[in-house]
Every structure is written in C-alpha cells, then in structure tokens.
C-alpha cells in the first residue's frame, strides 16, 4: 500500500501556495513587489499556538488559521533554552518569509557553533565552502523533485567532499578546546552500574588503557587510528551491551504487529528469519542482518491489519468536504479489496486518484516558512544575540 507523506513538499513559500497578498500584521511592515506582481511582506508578525517542536524550529497554528514553520536559527541555544517552548503555548513571532527550509540554515547560523578562535582567513574559506554546499543542496533537492536521482546523488557526493574539507579546517580548533572526560566519566555514561551490570576488573583495565590511547590519538589528529581504538573499546564492551539490551523474544517482538489471517507455517518462517537475523547481528554480519530483516518485513506487510479509512485520515490536520470525503473513502476501500501482488497497477492508479483529490488541501495547508527575528512569550521579548 502506498502511504502519502504528510509533509511531502520541500518548497513552501507564500508564492508557491498561491497567496496573492500576505496581509501585514505588523504596523509599518515593509514589503517587496516581485516581477510577477505578487506582494510579499518582508517582516510580519504572527501569533498562534505551538503545534510541535523540532530542533531549531516549531510548527505553529496561527490565529489566522494558517500553518507556519518558524525557524529559530538566528537565536542562541541559551536563548532557546530560556524560551522554554512547549506544545500548546501561545507565542508571537516577527520575521521574514523564507522560500525553502534550507534557507533557514545560513552561514551565520553555522558560525554560532564554531569555536571563537577560528581565524578570519579560515572563516572566509568556510563561508565560501558553506555557500557552495547550500547551492549543491538546493540543486540536489530540485533534482529529486524532478526524479533525476542520478544527478541528485552526484550533487550530494560533491557536497559531501566539501564537508570533509570544511571539517579539516574546523577539527584542529575543536581539538584545541577539547577537554576529554575521564575514563570513569566516559564509562559511566553507558549506565552499566545503574543496571546492575558489573564489568570485570580485567576488562576494565583493558578499556582504560584503550581509552587513554584513543584520547592521545584524537589530540594528535590521528583520526583513523583513533577510530580503530574505539572499535577495540566497543568490542570488549559488546557482551555487556548484550546484557544491557537483550534482544526481545520473537513472541514479544510480534506483539507490536496487528496481523490478519497469517498461516501457522508463515509465522514459523518469520520466527526462523527473526532468530537468524539476531544471530547475524551477534556475529557482526550487518549485510546478512539487513537481508534477513528485509525478508521478514516483506512477509509482515502482507498480513498487517489495514487502518480503517477514518484512522487513516487522522494523519491529516485539515478538514475535507463531505463530497470529497465520500470519494476518498470509496477509493480507499477499493484499494484494500485489491490483491497487492496481482493488481498492483490498479492499486497505484487508485492511489493516484486519491492523492489528486487531496492535492488542493495539501496546497491550501502548506506551511508558510518564517525566519524569526523577534519572539514574544509570556510578555518577554527575545532578539537574536
């Protein structure tokens, strides 16, 4: 079954959602007149309630009924912590419209996380490479939209190489400021003792020696050798990890699935695949592990209990007209009745018809992207530092 992605778009600007004018909500707000005659306000004010929080941004339901994504990349981590954002909270934001989610992450936002000691010359180099990365990201995103996968992968490969070069510049600065944890602190982060798992004295002695070698190699910039040391470290810890996170028995694992009419022999096959996959994981054979679990889920999907139409539609936070709802329900129920293996073409055609009906609703409810330059919460104002 093809499941639509709730947020399947990349570009979500005021221009792309067909709005003729964004009404100024802030007295004295400035605006710009693009060549197509559509007026878009540069700075505007939005008040609404937080729907969800993710990283350096929030989804906001405005008092005007529109959906917004607010980017806080101009604000520091300390400021975001002081804001203490929670879902359902009312907030007022002033900011500018962005055309793409990628536009939120500017070089200034990237620079916030760099060590203060980075030289002007290196900052100049980093900014040039950063802008090239942003350009390649947009080109890759556009290629994906146009289904030009090979071109997109090539762009991502190019930007990956630039990131490697950027890291070569920044890594010495990070290392100069790095204060490694003590061995006891580092090992304590795994919380073995809190779970009554005792590491033998012999293993602990080896782990400490490896950890201290790893720190020295990291400080010397010998990253490859340092990674090898950390592999040794985790190899010793592996039995303790298995004790800390024991694999679920097959029967317990299957409790999360609602399966319909699955034959006993198929269930037995699933159990064999599951246990073989867990063995492959224990034997450090990721290729076999992925292959076995791929087969496992291919079988599972054939017997999963489908959602009802009503359950399916709860994923969308917009209302659909009665007439469209009736057509959608009929299409959905017809899809469920079709044989997944033998009638795949018909299934895809019906999903296409389903999405065609929903398309105007998606367009009408696209998030307007706002890069925040002022935030007001509980009467307290925040400006970028």
């Amino acid at each position: 079954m093809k499941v639509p992605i709730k947020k399947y778009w990349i570009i979500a600007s005021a221009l792309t959602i067909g709005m003729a004018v964004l009404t100024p909500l802030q007295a004295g707000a400035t605006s710009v007149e693009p060549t197509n005659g559509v007026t878009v306000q540069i700075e505007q004010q939005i008040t609404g309630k937080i729907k969800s929080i993710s990283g350096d941004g929030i989804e906001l339901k405005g008092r005007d009924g529109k959906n917004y994504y607010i980017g806080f990349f101009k604000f520091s981590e300390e400021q975001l912590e002081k804001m203490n954002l929670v879902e359902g909270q009312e907030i007022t934001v002033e900011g500018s419209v962005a055309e793409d989610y990628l536009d939120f992450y500017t070089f200034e936002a990237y620079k916030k996380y760099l060590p203060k000691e980075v030289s002007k010359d290196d900052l100049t180099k980093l900014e040039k490479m950063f802008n090239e990365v942003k350009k390649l990201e947009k080109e890759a995103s556009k290629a994906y939209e146009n289904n030009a996968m090979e071109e997109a992968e090539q762009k991502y490969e190019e930007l990956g190489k630039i990131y490697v070069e950027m890291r070569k510049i920044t890594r010495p600065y990070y290392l100069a400021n790095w204060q490694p944890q003590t061995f006891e602190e580092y090992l304590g982060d795994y919380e073995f003792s809190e779970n009554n798992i005792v590491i033998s004295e012999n293993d602990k002695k080896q782990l400490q020696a490896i950890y201290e070698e790893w720190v020295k190699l990291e400080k010397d910039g010998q990253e490859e050798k340092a990674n090898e040391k950390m592999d040794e470290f985790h190899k010793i810890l592996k039995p303790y990890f298995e004790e800390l996170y024991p694999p679920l028995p097959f029967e317990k694992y299957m409790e999360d699935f609602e399966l319909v009419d699955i034959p006993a022999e198929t269930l037995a096959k699933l159990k064999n695949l599951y246990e073989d996959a867990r063995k492959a994981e224990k034997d450090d054979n990721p290729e076999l592990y992925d292959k076995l679990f791929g087969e496992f889920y291919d079988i599972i999907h054939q017997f999963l209990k489908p959602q009802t139409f009503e359950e399916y539609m709860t994923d969308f936070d917009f209302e659909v007209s009665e007439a469209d709802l009736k057509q959608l329900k009929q299409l959905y129920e017809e899809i469920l009745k079709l044989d997944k293996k033998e009638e795949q073409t018909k299934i895809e055609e019906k999903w296409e018809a389903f999405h065609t009906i929903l398309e105007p609703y998606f367009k009408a409810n696209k998030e307007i992207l706002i890069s925040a330059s002022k935030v007001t919460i509980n009467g307290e104002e925040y400006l970028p530092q």
Side-chain angles (χ1 to χ4, degrees):
M1 180 186 294
K2 181 180 178 184
V3 179
I5 299 172
K6 192 172 179 182
K7 292 180 187 174
Y8 64 94
W9 57 87
I10 300 296
I11 304 297
S13 68
L15 300 180
T16 60
I17 62 175
M19 293 177 63
V21 178
L22 279 175
T23 306
L25 301 174
Q26 176 186 353
T30 56
S31 63
V32 63
E33 181 100 5
T35 55
N36 61 2
V38 178
T39 301
V40 177
Q41 185 182 317
I42 293 176
E43 287 286 332
Q44 64 172 320
Q45 185 184 84
I46 303 110
T47 297
K49 289 189 176 179
I50 298 173
K51 290 165 59 182
S52 66
I53 303 165
S54 58
D56 289 328
I58 60 169
E59 290 182 331
L60 189 76
K61 188 71 174 182
R63 283 184 183 172
D64 56 8
K66 296 182 176 67
N67 296 312
Y68 296 89
Y69 180 84
I70 312 295
F72 291 135
F73 287 95
K74 294 175 184 175
F75 294 84
S76 68
E77 288 185 346
E78 292 77 14
Q79 286 179 300
L80 291 174
E81 192 173 331
K82 284 181 183 177
M83 288 181 197
N84 192 27
L85 302 168
V86 293
E87 291 183 14
Q89 184 178 36
E90 187 165 274
I91 182 173
T92 297
V93 176
E94 293 178 21
S96 55
V97 176
E99 291 187 355
D100 192 295
Y101 288 98
L102 293 172
D103 292 334
F104 288 122
Y105 195 51
T106 62
F107 181 70
E108 287 302 312
Y110 166 78
K111 196 167 68 173
K112 285 192 306 183
Y113 301 98
L114 291 175
K116 293 177 183 178
E117 295 79 8
V118 177
S119 70
K120 287 184 179 179
D121 284 346
D122 282 340
L123 280 175
T124 301
K125 293 174 189 174
L126 287 168
E127 185 169 13
K128 184 179 178 181
M129 288 189 278
F130 181 90
N131 291 334
E132 182 61 25
V133 164
K134 289 291 294 293
K135 176 175 171 285
L136 288 166
E137 280 181 325
K138 288 191 175 185
E139 289 173 356
S141 179
K142 188 174 181 181
Y144 265 124
E145 284 179 17
N146 296 329
N147 209 30
M149 299 304 178
E150 190 175 336
E151 181 187 346
E153 291 298 335
Q154 184 183 347
K155 298 291 182 185
Y156 278 123
E157 190 175 329
E158 287 178 43
L159 70 87
K161 290 176 182 177
I162 298 174
Y163 270 129
V164 169
E165 294 305 309
M166 291 173 73
R167 191 167 182 272
K168 286 179 182 177
I169 294 173
T170 60
R171 183 171 166 75
Y173 291 103
Y174 285 116
L175 287 174
N177 288 291
W178 182 42
Q179 294 296 325
Q181 293 174 290
T182 65
F183 168 71
E184 289 74 17
E185 290 170 337
Y186 188 83
L187 192 62
D189 287 343
Y190 290 107
E191 299 184 348
F192 290 120
S193 58
E194 290 87 338
N195 290 276
N196 299 316
I197 296 170
V198 179
I199 297 175
S200 74
E201 286 303 318
N202 185 50
D203 282 344
K204 193 177 284 188
K205 188 176 180 181
Q206 288 187 66
L207 288 167
Q208 183 165 2
I210 292 170
Y211 180 77
E212 289 169 359
E213 287 181 58
W214 172 75
V215 168
K216 186 176 183 303
L217 289 166
E218 284 283 1
K219 284 185 173 181
D220 290 344
Q222 299 185 56
E223 193 171 359
E224 191 173 331
K225 288 184 178 180
N227 289 338
E228 289 172 3
K229 281 295 168 189
M230 195 46 67
D231 287 343
E232 288 180 38
F233 190 91
H234 287 126
K235 191 172 183 179
I236 294 172
L237 281 182
K238 188 177 178 183
Y240 300 103
F241 280 128
E242 289 171 357
E243 188 178 350
L244 184 61
Y245 304 109
L248 286 175
F250 172 73
E251 290 73 17
K252 186 73 176 173
Y253 187 80
M254 293 300 291
E255 287 178 5
D256 289 337
F257 300 103
E258 288 189 66
L259 304 180
V260 179
D261 300 328
I262 183 166
E265 60 270 22
T266 303
L267 202 58
K269 183 177 180 181
L270 285 171
K271 185 172 184 177
N272 288 335
L273 285 168
Y274 179 81
E275 291 175 351
D276 288 346
R278 290 304 182 195
K279 184 177 183 303
E281 181 181 32
K282 192 172 182 178
D283 295 341
D284 287 326
N285 191 338
E287 292 81 9
L288 181 58
Y289 174 86
D290 290 342
K291 177 179 178 293
L292 292 168
F293 258 121
E295 291 179 35
F296 181 92
Y297 283 107
D298 282 345
I299 295 172
I300 285 284
H301 288 153
Q302 298 173 39
F303 298 95
L304 282 175
K305 180 182 178 181
Q307 290 178 298
T308 64
F309 173 71
E310 289 72 21
E311 289 170 336
Y312 187 84
M313 292 301 292
T314 58
D315 283 342
F316 307 113
D317 59 355
F318 50 76
E319 292 186 8
V320 179
S321 73
E322 286 297 324
D324 285 340
L325 206 60
K326 187 176 179 181
Q327 288 185 66
L328 289 167
K329 185 171 184 177
Q330 182 180 338
L331 284 165
Y332 186 82
E333 291 176 349
E334 287 174 0
I335 289 166
L336 295 185
K337 289 176 184 176
L338 293 169
D339 186 287
K340 294 176 187 177
K341 288 184 178 179
E342 297 179 7
E343 299 176 286
Q344 189 59 39
T345 302
K346 286 184 182 178
I347 290 172
E348 289 177 3
E349 287 172 357
K350 290 190 180 293
W351 271 124
E352 189 173 343
F354 189 96
H355 296 147
T356 300
I357 295 170
L358 281 180
E359 185 67 22
Y361 295 98
F362 282 126
K363 284 184 178 179
N365 287 275
K366 279 183 180 179
E367 291 174 330
I368 300 168
L369 309 183
I370 302 291
S371 179
S373 55
K374 181 179 177 181
V375 177
T376 306
I377 305 173
N378 298 326
E380 188 168 354
E381 293 183 352
Y382 296 87
L383 294 168
Q385 292 178 341

